[in-house]
Amino acid sequence: QKEVEQNSGPLSVPEGAIASLNCTYSDRGSQSFFWYRQYSGKSPELIMFIYSNGDKEDGRFTAQLNKASQYVSLLIRDSQPSDSATYLCAVKTLNYGGSQGNLIFGKGTKLSVKP
Amino acid sequence: GAGVSQSPSNKVTEKGKDVELRCDPISGHTALYWYRQSLGQGLEFLIYFQGNSAPDKSGLPSDRFSAERTGGSVSTLTIQRTQQEDSAVYLCASSSDRNSYEQYFGPGTRLTVT
């Protein structure tokens, strides 16, 4: 069973703080890692992807990947109330259900940024 | 350009009835995915289409679920003899090809089985 685990939260941070969202995965063969943001009642939208160990920065967002620890995280700097949403971690892996690779999603972490 | 569209946006049906959900992917996108999201849960992969290849049906929860994609574009997800546990939001996504990292999601169809 391929699993992607996230703390469901809610994670509450004050405006301007750094929000840290974490995700672990069970399949060592996983290749690519994604963070999606989902506002309440809306569909997910991709905000970051990473496939090499280390950090990847895009504006206020930084994705961190540690394949040895099977851990991926998303940091949001200078958090804004508009960042309040559920953040879904997704992992692309091979040999899942006989297919050539599909995204497996975690259940998401709900982030609340307080003004 | 236009994004992924889905219809209907909401569907209420009685237990035992069949339903059809439609997805219109972004023009030119060859890969199309169906997911299901139950309340408070993550996205559950259902089925995947890539071009003219045989679909990957590994995520379909039972033989009551089926999907087709006509002409490499529009897809229909059919649920026969619906059950209350089928109630969820059904999301469709498309990407430019099988190796694309970026899947664009439609607004979803909220299915309620009474």
Side-chain angles (χ1 to χ4, degrees):
Chain A
Q1 180 73 19
K2 312 300 182 185
E3 293 184 348
V4 178
E5 299 286 343
Q6 295 181 258
N7 188 320
S8 62
L11 173 65
S12 183
V13 300
E15 182 175 358
I18 296 175
S20 178
L21 305 162
N22 305 315
C23 173
T24 59
Y25 58 94
S26 62
D27 182 12
R28 285 195 172 275
S30 300
Q31 299 178 314
S32 310
F33 308 85
F34 307 83
W35 284 99
Y36 283 80
R37 177 176 62 200
Q38 187 173 26
Y39 291 113
S40 180
K42 302 295 184 182
S43 54
E45 57 178 327
L46 180 67
I47 53 173
M48 289 284 290
F49 65 84
I50 186 169
Y51 47 95
S52 300
N53 274 328
D55 295 359
K56 179 181 179 182
E57 187 174 320
D58 183 1
R60 295 187 296 112
F61 298 95
T62 299
Q64 298 176 319
L65 175 61
N66 184 326
K67 288 187 178 181
S69 300
Q70 296 175 237
Y71 177 94
V72 58
S73 64
L74 179 70
L75 302 178
I76 307 175
R77 289 182 300 281
D78 189 22
S79 296
Q80 302 297 308
S82 59
D83 295 326
S84 298
T86 296
Y87 290 79
L88 302 171
C89 173
V91 174
K92 187 168 185 175
T93 184
L94 292 177
N95 301 319
Y96 174 65
S99 73
Q100 294 184 17
N102 282 306
L103 289 186
I104 303 172
F105 285 82
K107 294 183 179 180
T109 297
K110 187 172 183 178
L111 174 66
S112 177
V113 181
K114 304 295 186 183
Chain B
V4 178
S5 61
Q6 292 186 245
S7 62
S9 56
N10 280 285
K11 176 71 176 178
V12 180
T13 190
E14 293 180 351
K15 178 181 173 181
K17 300 282 189 182
D18 298 351
V19 295
E20 285 190 353
L21 312 178
R22 176 188 168 107
C23 172
D24 207 333
I26 292 172
S27 178
H29 278 193
T30 59
L32 186 150
Y33 301 79
W34 282 99
Y35 295 90
R36 176 169 73 173
Q37 188 173 33
S38 301
L39 188 63
Q41 300 297 308
L43 294 175
E44 176 188 3
F45 165 75
L46 298 177
I47 188 170
Y48 152 75
F49 296 90
Q50 171 60 54
N52 296 320
S53 302
D56 174 356
K57 305 179 182 179
S58 58
L60 294 178
S62 78
D63 59 8
R64 296 187 295 106
F65 288 72
S66 63
E68 63 178 19
R69 189 179 185 192
T70 54
S73 181
V74 171
S75 177
T76 302
L77 177 69
T78 301
I79 309 174
Q80 296 178 308
R81 305 181 302 281
T82 52
Q83 303 295 312
Q84 288 185 330
E85 60 263 29
D86 299 334
S87 296
V89 175
Y90 289 81
L91 289 160
C92 174
S94 71
S95 64
S96 58
D97 59 51
R98 184 63 179 91
N99 294 315
S100 172
Y101 295 126
E102 192 158 357
Q103 295 184 17
Y104 294 87
F105 283 83
T109 293
R110 181 175 297 279
L111 175 67
T112 303
V113 182
T114 61

